Amino acid sequence: MWIDGDSRRKRKVAEISQALNVTPVDVAALRRMAISEGGLLTDEIRCKVWPRLLNVPTDTLPEKPEEIERENNKDYNQVLLDVQRSLKRFPPGMPDKQRQGLQEELIDIILRVLGRNTQLHYYQGYHDIVVTFLLVLDERLATALVEKLSTHHLRDFMDPTMDNTKHILNYLMPIIERINPEVHDFMQQAEVGTIFALSWLITWFGHVLSDFRHVVRLYDFFLACHPLMPIYFAAVIVLYREDEVLDCECDMASVHHLLSQIPQDLPYETLISRAGDLFVQFPPSELAREAAQQYSQQTAASTFKDFDLVSEQQRPDSVLRRRLREKQVLEGAAAGAMVATAQPTVARRFVRLAVMGLTVALGAAALTLVNTALEWVPKLDLHLFP
């Protein structure tokens, strides 16, 4: 039976309200709502759901954030410069006084989170993520959510070096290769690398998208999913632009220029659905060998156990046997067999994507390190993988 858009919207609002009002809160349902078409619909709903997705209790937050000593803060000057350059991130037509007040709050949130977590290091682009939360939430709630996000999803970007960030970027090409080897080979021949996607990844696309509605829609999706989901979304953007890429001159400068100019009229819901499908088909554990060739250091993303990979399967011997079996199957299959793998139903995919993100919602006690491929693939690469 066909249901019009307004009816679907009302039904979704009712389902979100129901998930919020049960005891305990149905976080899995909220994740499904955030992932599914349209996301969380309004900023009013996001104020209620985003804290649940990050397991941030709102009833115990201080009434007023603590004051920040700016001048003696080592990050203040760089944060100030970045915030002053962030005018385009604020809604057009916002009164100057209101914008300037929000910029002051933005500086305080960043310095407050860094001050509480001295292991975190500021990076340029961090403010693009923080301002998104500030524009949706108030300063008090934004501070709490940004702090949780910074110690989980964004943790690898906030190391003293960019090694882990580069490692995460290394997942991009294996994803593309599995779906479109022609595009992958073209990009490899052009030696374009993955640096064009750096600002996409570390700002969750906040820096490169001009329409705030698209930004918060992506944040709904990313908050409900695995920390590596932004790199899957980056891959589907490249794959969506297949014709443009292959029509481009096959040199680094040309391909980099093309890909770094992200279109503003992307079919976001289609791409979100596609990114979810690719994660289900090719979870990070299946891409770890390629991504970990040059980086053996474990990343925060590896603390998120893939939804369909139990600990026993992560042992080197079982993984090796599984890889060898898969290789034999692939070698005997038609060229397009992998791409033609049957897709899960929409409902089942939403459930699986929601389940794989529950580690965050369960809190620190559930963040037990699992023996993932990232721990052992680099050590085995020279010996077991020809």
Side-chain angles (χ1 to χ4, degrees), residues 15-33 40 45 47-59 358 361-362:
E15 291 174 348
I16 293 172
S17 178
Q18 181 180 2
L20 286 168
N21 291 326
V22 298
T23 304
V25 170
D26 191 347
V27 177
L30 294 177
R31 291 184 184 279
R32 292 195 298 271
M33 296 298 104
L40 296 175
I45 293 176
C47 288
K48 300 175 183 178
V49 175
W50 280 6
R52 297 295 184 176
L53 297 181
L54 288 176
N55 193 30
V56 173
T58 58
D59 53 352
L358 283 174
L362 293 175

Side-chain angles (χ1 to χ4, degrees), residues 28 32 35 345-357:
R32 292 195 298 271
I35 292 168
T345 66
V346 172
R348 184 182 178 193
R349 172 163 50 84
F350 289 162
V351 170
R352 298 179 77 184
L353 288 175
V355 169
M356 57 113 188

Side-chain angles (χ1 to χ4, degrees), residues 239-254:
L239 293 166
Y240 173 76
R241 303 183 70 190
E242 168 191 358
D243 292 340
E244 293 177 81
V245 172
L246 296 178
D247 286 343
C248 187
E249 292 293 329
C250 190
D251 62 75
M252 181 178 66
S254 299

Side-chain angles (χ1 to χ4, degrees), residues 120-121 123 149-168 201-202 227-228 297-304 374:
L120 302 180
H121 298 262
Y123 64 88
L149 193 73
S150 300
T151 55
H152 291 79
H153 289 68
L154 307 180
R155 179 63 183 86
D156 292 315
F157 308 148
M158 306 189 76
D159 277 348
T161 72
M162 288 189 65
D163 285 351
N164 283 341
T165 301
K166 293 175 183 176
H167 173 75
I168 293 172
L201 179 66
I202 66 176
L228 288 180
Q297 184 177 1
Q298 187 184 43
T299 66
S302 68
T303 68
F304 286 75
L374 287 179

Side-chain angles (χ1 to χ4, degrees), residues 70-78 120-122:
R70 293 184 174 189
E71 281 65 25
N72 295 326
N73 191 295
K74 64 181 178 64
D75 297 303
Y76 172 66
N77 290 332
Q78 185 60 59
L120 302 180
H121 298 262
Y122 178 76

Side-chain angles (χ1 to χ4, degrees), residues 226-275:
H226 190 285
L228 288 180
M229 189 57 80
I231 205 68
Y232 283 79
F233 192 79
V236 299
I237 290 178
V238 175
L239 293 166
Y240 173 76
R241 303 183 70 190
E242 168 191 358
D243 292 340
E244 293 177 81
V245 172
L246 296 178
D247 286 343
C248 187
E249 292 293 329
C250 190
D251 62 75
M252 181 178 66
S254 299
V255 179
H256 177 83
H257 177 74
L258 171 70
L259 292 175
S260 61
Q261 305 299 312
I262 189 169
Q264 298 298 310
D265 59 346
L266 294 169
Y268 292 95
E269 294 299 335
T270 300
L271 297 182
I272 285 171
S273 178
R274 184 60 173 145

Side-chain angles (χ1 to χ4, degrees), residues 305-363:
K305 183 178 179 180
D306 295 331
F307 58 89
D308 61 350
L309 191 65
V310 297
S311 297
E312 178 63 25
Q313 291 175 308
Q314 295 175 33
R315 299 306 306 171
D317 53 349
S318 64
V319 173
L320 177 58
R321 288 195 299 270
R322 174 166 50 82
R323 289 187 185 279
L324 291 175
R325 288 196 302 269
E326 291 171 351
K327 182 178 179 182
Q328 292 170 355
V329 171
L330 290 175
E331 287 175 348
M338 182 175 294
V339 178
T341 301
Q343 303 287 328
T345 66
V346 172
R348 184 182 178 193
R349 172 163 50 84
F350 289 162
V351 170
R352 298 179 77 184
L353 288 175
V355 169
M356 57 113 188
L358 283 174
T359 310
V360 173
L362 293 175

